Amino acid sequence: MATLQLKDVRKSYGSLEVIHGVNLEIADGELVVLVGPSGCGKSTLLRMIAGLERVSAGTVAIGGKVVNEREPKDRDIAMVFQNYALYPHMTVFDNMAYGLRNRRTPREEIEVRVRDAARILELDEYLERTPRQLSGGQRQRVAMGRAIVRKPAVFLFDEPLSNLDAKLRVHMRVEIRRLQQALRTTSVYVTHDQVEAMTLADRLVVMNKGVAEQVGSPVEVYERPATTFVASFIGSPAMNFLPVSVNGESRTLTLRGGQPLTSLDSPSPAQDIIVGIRPEDIHLQPNGQGEAVRLVVGIDLVEVLGADSVLHGRLVGSEDRIMARLPGIHRIRAGESLPLFVAPDRFHYFLQSGRRMAQQ
Amino acid sequence: MVENRPWLTVLSHLVLLAGCLVIVLPVWVAFVASTHEAATMLRPPAPMIPGTHLLDNYATVLFEGFGQASRVPQWLVLFNSLVMALGITIGKIAISITAAFAIVYFRFPLRMTCFWLIFVTLMLPVEVRIVPTFSVVASLGMLDSYAGLIIPLIASATATFLFRQFFLSVPDEMAEAARVDGAGPLRFFRDILLPMSRNSIAALFVIQFIYGWNQHLWPLLITTKESFYTIVMTVSRQANVQDGVVQWNLIMALGILAMLPPVLVIVFMQRQFVRGLTDTEK
Ligand SMILES: Nc1ncnc2c1ncn2[C@@H]1O[C@H](COP(=O)(O)OP(=O)(O)OP(=O)(O)O)[C@@H](O)[C@H]1O
Ligand SMILES: [Mg+2]
């Protein structure tokens, strides 16, 4: 059990800096998910915590002790790799026991711990098999087993589910959450799958190009995305962005086509801003109290998913692309124009730089 | 290509049979010859069915020695060959697997230079460097010794290269997982890499054993005492008798004996051999 702190952690390869100063405090027993697009530096950050990659600047502290100079084995961490990295010539039992043997754990203790882990992970019957004789999901569980038998202070997961098929992924996701809650081990989990991120995380770290753009609970990140990048990365389909200009005195927002959209409660710091609308906040009827904003949309395409339908279209007038997600099945034909409604309190306001506007 | 035409089947079997005949016939002739008396062999036509002197001939060869070239009992010569072949094989594998390990898993100055130096020696087989090698071995006083037979042939670019390719195909995460599991470099090598290389080692063992066993020129050069002769060189020496009778029956028995160990190695290691050369699974 331990806390984990990153203070201004940076990583450079030669003169190329790929992690630009990440600060993060992880509480004991917390599960933090690092999420972001490919190449944003999630794995690099995780590997620096593990000690597999040197930290170029800043400090990594586990349980209050700076571990920058420690070998992975002396950091009290366990890691689950994307390709599992099981030892192919060893049995499942030996795979799990190897780390313990290297630490000179007594034989009886190894036996007990491996059997316990195998029972939790439902691997009892497979202990004598080699990894080649297991299915993908079973291999994944062995990789988890190898981590939990060590009872480390911190678990590190690097996209552990990305090699599984969709159904198994959902199953294992739930299993991992359950296991982590039972063991209460501080964990860092890397994924580029936002559903995994939202469902697993106590806290989310959304990364973009080597920077932690936002740190917060999944709900916070969804409700109040700090930047347009976060807004478009979390949520599916991605948030719609409409460039608008602010009419000084009346604080009215007008679309590029000239139609008024809504008006701000407080003065805007900039003339041109961006309004973000989540596809799921757009409705066919103005529901609830308060007046709703009306958007007339020319429909290009309707995707019926079963539980929802996703409309793709353009705002009549400004020609901004817009997507709406409506619950249920809708038989709307492409080519039609129809009015859609959004409650103004569901608007997100961003500056041109991508930052969220402070007071709105 | 799964075709089912009768004449094609017949034709392909004929081709295969012809191929087998070409290879098997000389071996058969040698075997038959080794079961007859010397006199029978000198009278044409050469016999094609086995005679009755099999045990006599082999016993003479193994325990008495014969001819002018090598009068020591030939089991000693067989033993010398075995020592040389095994020494070369084990030495080559040990040296090249450690070299490949260093080149793939450690970052040291001039790493690639080392690799290319090793690689370039591919172009220098024993025959090319035989004169300088001989003078080095001679000045080290290693003529007529097992060390002299073995050590100059141990370095192997081929094996180093093969192991390097295999290690490169092992995912980096394997080494990282071992590091997290608390295994240092040597333990990683012993517990993970070595067992994973099993098939490559087996394949190399077969190839290198045969290479070592078949060495001819080198032992011919550096051995002067009959007690250090190897079997392959003895066979050819026995056939080059200056004057007197060539004892073909005994020479053929010797030839058959010279063939046996490589055949046994292949028979017993065939499975791993094929897997080591074809499998890429980690
Ligand atoms: N050894 C290296 N040398 C130079 N650049 C590197 C090296 N390793 C990684 N990078 C760069 O660092 C950046 C972050 O890589 P990283 O592997 O952390 O991405 P990631 O977020 O894990 O992506 P993915 O989701 O694809 O795994 C990438 O732009 C990559 O090109
Ligand atoms: Mg990655």
Side-chain angles (χ1 to χ4, degrees):
Chain A
M1 302 297 114
T3 59
L4 176 65
Q5 283 132 353
L6 306 185
K7 281 216 191 80
D8 195 35
V9 169
R10 290 167 188 274
K11 177 72 191 176
S12 313
Y13 290 107
S15 61
L16 179 75
E17 193 175 77
V18 296
I19 303 281
H20 310 289
V22 171
N23 288 292
L24 189 60
E25 298 248 344
I26 302 177
D28 185 22
E30 196 178 21
L31 194 161
V32 167
V33 174
L34 304 180
V35 66
S38 190
C40 68
K42 311 178 292 285
S43 299
T44 308
L45 194 58
L46 193 77
R47 291 161 52 80
M48 284 195 285
I49 298 172
L52 294 170
E53 205 82 66
R54 281 197 63 81
V55 178
S56 304
T59 56
V60 175
I62 296 174
K65 290 196 193 65
V66 173
V67 295
N68 283 31
E69 297 304 323
R70 283 200 207 162
E71 271 290 295
K73 67 181 166 78
D74 302 321
R75 292 189 179 198
D76 205 9
I77 49 121
M79 185 151 172
V80 178
F81 295 88
Q82 178 172 1
N83 62 5
Y84 317 143
L86 300 177
Y87 311 125
H89 57 287
M90 293 189 195
T91 62
V92 169
F93 186 97
D94 290 338
N95 261 286
M96 293 205 245
Y98 188 61
L100 294 174
R101 287 195 184 129
N102 285 337
R103 284 178 173 69
R104 309 196 181 290
T105 315
R107 184 175 293 273
E108 311 79 62
E109 165 112 27
I110 293 179
E111 187 79 21
V112 171
R113 288 217 213 165
V114 172
R115 301 243 171 244
D116 274 354
R119 192 170 32 73
I120 296 171
L121 295 163
E122 294 166 27
L123 285 169
D124 315 74
E125 311 160 42
Y126 307 112
L127 283 176
E128 294 313 316
R129 294 205 195 168
T130 58
R132 172 185 343 224
Q133 298 161 316
L134 299 177
S135 72
Q138 290 161 346
R139 284 180 207 183
Q140 212 285 328
R141 291 213 293 273
V142 177
M144 301 272 302
R146 193 163 66 175
I148 66 176
V149 289
R150 295 248 316 278
K151 303 195 175 153
V154 181
F155 282 142
L156 304 172
F157 300 90
D158 193 354
E159 309 204 21
L161 303 183
S162 57
N163 285 353
L164 301 179
D165 65 58
K167 207 168 152 191
L168 201 53
R169 194 148 49 196
V170 174
H171 175 72
M172 287 307 298
R173 192 172 78 206
V174 176
E175 291 289 296
I176 289 182
R177 188 62 178 146
R178 193 170 291 151
L179 197 64
Q180 199 269 340
Q181 278 175 348
L183 300 173
R184 280 271 136 229
T185 305
T186 313
S187 306
V188 183
Y189 187 107
V190 164
T191 181
H192 59 248
D193 181 319
Q194 53 152 314
V195 181
E196 237 168 82
M198 295 293 285
T199 50
L200 278 175
D202 290 320
R203 258 183 328 142
L204 267 183
V205 178
V206 185
M207 295 201 42
N208 183 26
K209 294 182 185 150
V211 174
E213 293 240 335
Q214 186 169 13
V215 181
S217 73
V219 171
E220 216 172 292
V221 170
Y222 176 81
E223 291 281 330
R224 294 182 58 79
T227 63
T228 47
F229 171 80
V230 175
S232 63
F233 194 78
I234 299 292
S236 168
M239 186 184 274
N240 299 295
F241 295 111
L242 308 176
V244 296
S245 46
V246 184
N247 183 330
E249 284 100 87
S250 60
R251 300 198 293 261
T252 312
L253 303 181
T254 49
L255 291 164
R256 280 190 304 195
Q259 316 94 308
L261 185 69
T262 181
S263 51
L264 296 174
D265 299 335
S266 49
S268 159
Q271 177 68 50
D272 294 306
I273 62 169
I274 297 167
V275 169
I277 309 170
R278 291 217 178 265
E280 52 272 35
D281 288 333
I282 301 178
H283 305 286
L284 279 175
Q285 266 87 41
N287 50 353
Q289 57 281 78
E291 92 282 29
V293 175
R294 185 167 181 272
L295 301 168
V296 183
V297 179
I299 304 295
D300 303 330
L301 178 72
V302 181
E303 292 174 311
V304 178
L305 306 176
D308 319 291
S309 306
V310 178
L311 311 186
H312 297 253
R314 286 172 189 279
L315 278 185
V316 172
S318 73
E319 295 302 308
D320 291 312
R321 297 202 135 279
I322 200 147
M323 269 188 279
R325 182 162 141 193
L326 307 173
I329 294 172
H330 295 268
R331 306 219 172 273
I332 300 165
R333 263 176 301 139
E336 279 181 47
S337 287
L338 73 162
L340 296 172
F341 299 88
V342 190
D345 61 350
R346 302 304 297 166
F347 284 152
H348 301 261
Y349 299 101
F350 300 97
L351 299 173
Q352 287 293 338
S353 66
R355 295 250 129 235
R356 187 182 188 85
M357 260 167 63
Q359 63 277 65
Q360 302 300 331
Chain B
M1 268 222 328
V2 187
E3 285 186 52
N4 205 352
R5 282 184 237 160
W7 61 266
L8 204 64
T9 316
V10 172
L11 187 74
S12 46
H13 277 83
L14 281 180
V15 171
L16 289 174
L17 271 177
C20 285
L21 266 185
V22 168
I23 292 168
V24 168
L25 200 64
V27 177
W28 177 249
V29 169
F31 173 73
V32 169
S34 73
T35 60
H36 284 277
E37 279 181 300
T40 322
M41 295 309 301
L42 294 175
R43 268 196 314 269
M48 285 306 286
I49 38 177
T52 52
H53 291 265
L54 183 132
L55 288 181
D56 295 350
N57 288 346
Y58 283 84
T60 311
V61 168
L62 277 176
F63 304 113
E64 286 169 29
F66 67 100
Q68 304 166 338
S70 171
R71 279 164 308 268
V72 293
Q74 299 295 299
W75 66 260
L76 180 62
V77 171
L78 269 172
F79 176 76
N80 290 344
S81 269
L82 194 70
V83 170
M84 180 175 79
L86 282 180
I88 291 176
T89 309
I90 294 168
K92 264 183 195 281
I93 290 175
I95 294 261
S96 50
I97 201 169
T98 37
F101 179 57
I103 284 171
V104 175
Y105 286 95
F106 293 86
R107 301 280 164 269
F108 51 90
L110 299 184
R111 189 173 64 98
M112 281 325 275
T113 317
C114 288
F115 174 69
W116 285 112
L117 278 179
I118 295 174
F119 197 69
V120 162
T121 61
L122 268 180
M123 285 178 258
L124 298 172
V126 186
E127 288 74 12
V128 176
R129 58 185 162 90
I130 203 153
V131 175
T133 310
F134 179 83
S135 85
V136 169
V137 168
S139 53
L140 288 176
M142 294 202 297
L143 299 181
D144 282 323
S145 72
Y146 288 134
L149 279 172
I150 294 168
I151 292 172
L153 301 184
I154 273 184
S156 169
T158 329
T160 309
F161 193 69
L162 200 117
F163 280 123
R164 172 181 177 267
Q165 292 312 101
F166 174 73
F167 290 167
L168 288 178
S169 78
V170 173
D172 292 343
E173 283 87 350
M174 203 65 75
E176 293 174 347
R179 250 176 101 190
V180 173
D181 266 344
L186 286 181
R187 201 175 283 181
F188 169 65
F189 182 69
R190 192 194 63 199
D191 290 349
I192 315 253
L193 224 40
L194 214 51
M196 280 177 75
S197 316
R198 214 173 35 217
N199 288 330
S200 304
I201 292 176
L204 271 173
F205 186 92
V206 173
I207 296 173
Q208 303 297 4
F209 183 86
I210 293 171
Y211 165 87
W213 186 266
N214 287 343
Q215 282 304 316
H216 178 237
L217 191 56
W218 181 247
L220 202 60
L221 268 182
I222 74 146
T223 55
T224 51
K225 295 204 187 93
E226 289 179 5
S227 56
F228 282 104
Y229 281 7
T230 65
I231 192 152
V232 173
M233 62 180 277
T234 312
V235 173
S236 74
R237 286 178 71 110
Q238 292 284 22
N240 286 333
V241 197
Q242 294 300 323
D243 39 30
V245 189
V246 183
Q247 291 170 292
W248 283 113
N249 56 336
L250 300 185
I251 293 177
M252 289 304 167
L254 197 59
I256 295 286
L257 286 174
M259 268 172 40
L260 273 184
V263 168
L264 289 180
V265 165
I266 290 198
V267 166
F268 285 111
M269 301 191 63
Q270 194 180 24
R271 278 234 337 266
Q272 291 94 320
F273 176 66
V274 173
R275 235 192 273 155
L277 290 186
T278 54
D279 250 21
T280 48
E281 57 104 33
K282 281 130 260 162

